[in-house]
DNA sequence: CACATGTGATGCAACGTTGCAAATGTATTT
DNA sequence: AAATACATTTGCAACGTTGCATCACATGTG
C-alpha cells in the first residue's frame, strides 16, 4: 500500500513545466486563450507523467461525480439480463470518465428509497432504471427533481423523459402474424409482471393483432408470481387441457423454459400440435430449443443505447431526441 | 436540478448547534474527549437534518473512497452469475458506507489493465475478482501493491491472500462417489476454462476419486471455447459413440444445457443409459431437468462472503482469517 | 499568588480541482 | 511617450472533510 511515489496532480505538472497551477488546469481543460506552445508543453508533461484528474477533487469542486448508477431489478425473467446490460453499459462508457455503480434491488420495485438516496446525496450524475412501470414512482421522483435519468421502458407520464424501450407492440404483432401464418386459430399469450409498461403494450397489441388476423386471443396473466415449478405445472395442465391453444407466445425466458418443460412432459410436441414463439434475450434458449421460433431483444445493445442517451441527457440534449425503440429481431427456425 | 435548499454539511450542523466545525466533525466521529452533552446535541442535529458525510470531501481528505470494485468476468458458463454475485455483494454492503462499482470485462482475463487503473488511480478501497487463475497476474499485481482484494478462487502464490472459493475438490469427490454408487464404470468429466484454478482442482480430485472408486476416468477438456451449438454437437457425438461413458460430470450450466440437448437428441435417455451430475448455480436447471442430480454452488452467498472478507481485509484483519471455502450442496433427485 | 494539570473546544492547513478577478507582458494607437 | 487594446498567465477562494496544534477555562498544587 505504501507506493512511495506521490500521486501525479496538477501541481506536479505545474512544477515540471514551470507554469502556474491555474494555467495547467486551464490548459488541460482546453483553454483557448492559451498559447499553443504552452498547451503543447502541458499536454506533453501530462502524458509523460500519466496524469489523470483526481475524481474527488473534481467532484468536490464541481459537483460532478462522473458516475452513472444502474438500479438493477431483481427480476429473473430474462436470463443473464444483468450481465448483458452491464456489459452494454460498460462498453459504452469505455473511453469516457464515467464509472458505473450498480445498486441491486431485492424486492421488486421498492426502489424509491434508492432513488431518493441518489437524489439527495448527489451520488451519481445520472441513473438508469429498468423494468419501468406506466406510472413508475421512480420516474416521477426524478422528473420532479429534474435529475438526469433514462428508463428502459416507457411510461404514461405527461412530461416527457429519456427512454429506450423494446418495441413490444411490434413483438406481439410479429408473433401473432407468424402463428396465424402457421395456421393457428387459438393463441395464448403467457405474460408476467403486470406492473410493467411493457406488459400493457404487449397485451394491447396482442389483442389488436389477433382480432385483425381473425384468431382467438387468450391471455394468461399473473404468471410473474409463479415459481418455475408452478410454471411447469401450468405447462402440464395446458397439455392435458382439451381446449388447449394451438399457439403460444411467451415473453420471458424463465417462463418459457418451465412452460416448455411442462408441455413436453405432458406429451405435447412443440412445433407440431402446438406452436410456440418466445422472446429471447440470452444465448441459451436457442441452444435448448434449436427448432423453435423466437424474437430477440438485444440487452447488450440496450445497455449501450441507454448509456448513450443518458450521457447526452446529462450534457443537456433536448429530451425529444432521447427517446428510442429497439426493433424486435425475429428468428424463424422452421417452415 | 435546482433543488433550492443547500446541502447539509458539517457547517450546517455547526451553525445550528453553535459549535465549531471541528467540534462537530470530531463529535460525529466519536471523539471521546467531548462532553456527553455536546455529543448528544450534535447527534440530534445531525439526525434532524439528515446529515450524510460528503463522499468527495472525505475522499479528498482521507483518501478513502468507500467504494469496492467488482471486476466482472465475461464468462457465460454460469447462468445469472452476475446478478447473483452483485446481489450478494449488495446485500452485504447495505448499512455500510460502501458503494459498489462494477467493471465488466469483455475478453477473458485481460484485466490487468483494469487492475492497474484501479491501483494507480486509487479508485476503490478494495477489489473483488472472480474466475481466478493459479498464477493470476491480477492477484500478483495486487499482492505486490499490498492492495486490499479478495478473489473468488484460490491461487498457487506463495504469499497468502484473502479468498473465498467453492470447494471444487469436494464437488468432484461427491459427484464421482454418487456416480459410482449408481453403478457407473466409466465416467467423463466435461470441463471448461483451463485458465482457472478451479479447473485444476476439479480435474485432480476427479482423477483421484475415480481411481479410489475403481471407475474409468476420462476428461473432456477445452470445452471453454466451444459455442453452445458445438457443445450440442459434442452431446450428439457422445450419444452415437459405442464407447460412450455411462456417467458424466459437468461443471458449467451452459455446457450442461447444450450437452443434455445433444445427448437427448442423439437418443440417450439421461438417468437410464447415462447418468449425469451437473454443477448448479442458478434456479433454472433444476426446473429444466427436475430429475437430474446436481451439486449447488450458491453464488449469492459467495458474493456476500467475498464482501465480508474484503471489508475485513480493508480494516486490517490478518489474512489467515480471510480464507474460506464454500461446501458444495448435493441435490440428489432420484434413487 | 504563581504555576502546573486537566478538560473541553477550536483554529488552521491541507487534500486536488476550478473559475473568477486581476496581473503581467506585448503590440498598436494617438 | 503615454494611453489603449489585446493576448496570455496567475493568485485566490472555495468545495467538505479531517487531525494536529493550540487555546480558554477551571481546578488543583506548592
Amino acid at each position: 500500500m505504501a507506493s512511495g511515489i506521490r500521486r501525479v496532480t496538477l501541481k506536479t505538472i505545474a512544477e515540471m513545466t514551470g507554469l502556474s497551477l491555474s494555467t495547467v488546469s486551464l490548459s488541460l481543460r482546453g483553454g483557448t486563450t492559451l498559447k499553443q506552445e504552452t498547451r503543447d508543453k502541458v499536454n506533453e508533461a501530462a502524458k509523460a507523467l500519466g496524469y489523470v484528474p483526481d475524481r474527488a477533487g473534481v467532484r468536490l469542486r464541481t459537483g460532478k461525480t462522473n458516475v452513472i448508477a444502474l438500479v438493477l431489478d431483481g427480476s429473473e425473467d430474462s436470463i443473464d439480463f444483468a450481465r448483458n446490460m452491464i456489459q452494454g453499459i460498460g462498453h459504452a462508457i469505455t473511453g469516457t470518465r464515467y464509472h458505473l455503480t450498480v445498486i441491486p434491488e431485492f424486492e421488486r420495485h421498492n426502489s424509491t428509497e434508492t432513488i431518493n438516496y441518489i437524489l439527495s446525496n448527489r451520488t451519481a450524475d445520472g441513473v438508469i432504471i429498468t423494468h419501468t412501470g406506466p406510472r413508475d414512482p421512480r420516474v416521477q421522483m426524478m422528473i420532479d427533481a429534474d435529475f438526469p435519468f433514462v428508463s428502459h421502458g416507457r411510461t404514461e407520464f405527461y412530461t416527457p423523459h429519456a427512454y429506450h424501450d423494446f418495441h413490444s407492440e411490434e413483438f406481439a404483432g410479429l408473433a401473432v402474424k407468424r402463428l396465424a401464418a402457421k395456421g393457428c386459430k387459438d393463441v395464448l399469450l403467457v405474460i408476467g409482471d403486470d406492473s410493467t409498461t411493457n406488459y400493457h403494450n404487449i397485451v394491447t397489441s396482442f389483442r389488436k393483432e389477433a382480432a385483425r388476423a381473425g384468431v382467438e386471443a387468450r391471455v394468461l396473466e399473473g404468471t410473474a408470481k409463479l415459481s418455475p415449478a408452478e410454471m411447469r405445472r401450468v405447462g402440464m395442465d395446458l397439455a392435458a387441457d382439451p381446449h388447449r391453444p394451438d399457439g403460444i407466445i411467451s415473453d420471458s425466458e424463465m417462463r418459457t423454459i418451465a412452460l416448455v418443460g411442462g408441455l413436453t412432459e405432458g406429451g405435447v410436441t412443440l412445433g407440431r400440435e402446438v406452436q410456440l414463439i418466445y422472446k429471447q434475450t440470452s444465448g441459451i434458449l436457442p441452444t435448448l430449443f434449436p427448432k423453435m421460433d423466437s424474437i430477440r431483444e438485444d440487452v447488450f445493445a440496450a445497455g449501450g443505447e441507454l448509456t448513450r442517451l443518458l450521457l447526452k441527457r446529462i450534457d443537456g440534449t433536448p429530451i425529444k431526441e432521447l427517446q428510442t425503440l429497439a426493433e424486435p429481431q425475429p428468428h424463424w427456425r422452421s417452415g
Side-chain angles (χ1 to χ4, degrees), chain A:
Chain A
M1 206 108 90
S3 61
I5 42 167
R6 249 172 34 86
R7 211 173 180 297
V8 176
T9 74
L10 291 177
K11 197 165 159 197
T12 322
I13 302 180
E15 280 161 4
M16 189 169 183
T17 57
L19 293 161
S20 82
L21 214 85
S22 307
T23 309
V24 174
S25 169
L26 185 60
S27 170
L28 251 16
R29 277 171 297 125
T32 48
T33 74
L34 260 23
K35 234 192 314 189
Q36 187 57 46
E37 187 195 328
T38 310
R39 301 174 61 181
D40 292 345
K41 202 161 54 172
V42 171
N43 285 336
E44 259 173 54
K47 181 177 288 183
L49 294 168
Y51 171 74
V52 177
D54 183 86
R55 316 197 103 229
V58 174
R59 180 164 172 178
L60 184 57
R61 175 64 227 243
T62 65
K64 179 135 212 246
T65 62
N66 284 303
V67 163
I68 69 181
L70 168 67
V71 180
L72 193 62
D73 192 277
S75 155
E76 306 188 6
D77 286 359
S78 172
I79 291 171
D80 272 337
F81 181 87
R83 185 176 54 80
N84 286 312
M85 176 64 65
I86 289 171
Q87 286 209 331
I89 298 171
H91 192 257
I93 59 176
T94 50
T96 75
R97 281 191 187 165
Y98 286 92
H99 284 186
L100 169 67
T101 98
V102 177
I103 303 154
E105 293 290 328
F106 304 101
E107 297 149 47
R108 290 194 150 207
H109 306 305
N110 74 330
S111 32
T112 55
E113 306 165 28
T114 303
I115 301 296
N116 191 42
Y117 175 78
I118 297 176
L119 256 44
S120 53
N121 294 104
R122 282 286 185 283
T123 184
D125 294 336
V127 171
I128 298 176
I129 64 171
T130 67
H131 298 79
T132 314
R135 300 229 140 243
D136 201 306
R138 303 171 298 175
V139 170
Q140 182 73 71
M141 291 171 78
M142 293 191 278
I143 288 179
D144 289 349
D146 193 17
F147 189 86
F149 75 99
V150 58
S151 61
H152 188 223
R154 286 160 281 176
T155 65
E156 290 172 359
F157 290 109
Y158 179 72
T159 315
H161 61 84
Y163 67 75
H164 174 68
D165 199 4
F166 183 61
H167 199 324
S168 311
E169 304 90 313
E170 188 79 21
F171 164 79
L174 281 167
V176 169
K177 269 182 239 151
R178 170 73 172 171
L179 289 177
K182 282 186 149 188
C184 295
K185 296 286 170 212
D186 181 6
V187 176
L188 177 71
L189 173 66
V190 178
I191 186 164
D193 202 348
D194 60 357
S195 62
T196 261
T197 314
N198 222 17
Y199 171 91
H200 298 282
N201 291 337
I202 292 187
V203 170
T204 308
S205 169
F206 169 68
R207 290 228 160 86
K208 205 180 70 188
E209 289 291 340
R212 176 177 305 173
V215 309
E216 183 86 5
R218 289 194 264 168
V219 176
L220 183 61
E221 318 190 49
T223 58
K225 298 112 201 157
L226 300 184
S227 72
E230 290 167 327
M231 196 65 219
R232 196 181 168 93
R233 185 77 233 165
V234 168
M236 291 188 66
D237 291 349
L238 266 180
D241 187 344
H243 300 300
R244 72 172 175 226
D246 53 7
I248 300 179
I249 301 172
S250 169
D251 82 323
S252 132
E253 296 197 305
M254 278 300 268
R255 281 191 289 275
T256 301
I257 289 179
L259 193 64
V260 170
L263 283 165
T264 308
E265 187 163 350
V268 169
T269 307
L270 285 160
R272 279 214 74 65
E273 300 117 82
V274 176
Q275 306 294 330
L276 192 146
I277 298 183
Y278 64 91
K279 180 162 131 192
Q280 177 231 328
T281 53
S282 76
I284 300 179
L285 286 248
T287 306
L288 250 182
F289 312 129
K291 300 197 185 121
M292 225 175 265
D293 287 340
S294 68
I295 298 179
R296 175 148 192 260
E297 173 179 10
D298 187 337
V299 177
F300 179 91
E305 175 70 1
L306 286 164
T307 307
R308 282 185 292 275
L309 294 177
L310 181 57
L311 297 193
K312 282 192 199 157
R313 170 65 237 269
I314 293 172
D315 289 344
T317 302
I319 286 175
K320 292 110 214 296
E321 300 168 27
L322 303 177
Q323 306 184 322
T324 62
L325 288 180
E327 287 301 317
Q329 303 156 14
H331 285 59
W332 305 149
R333 307 300 167 126
S334 45

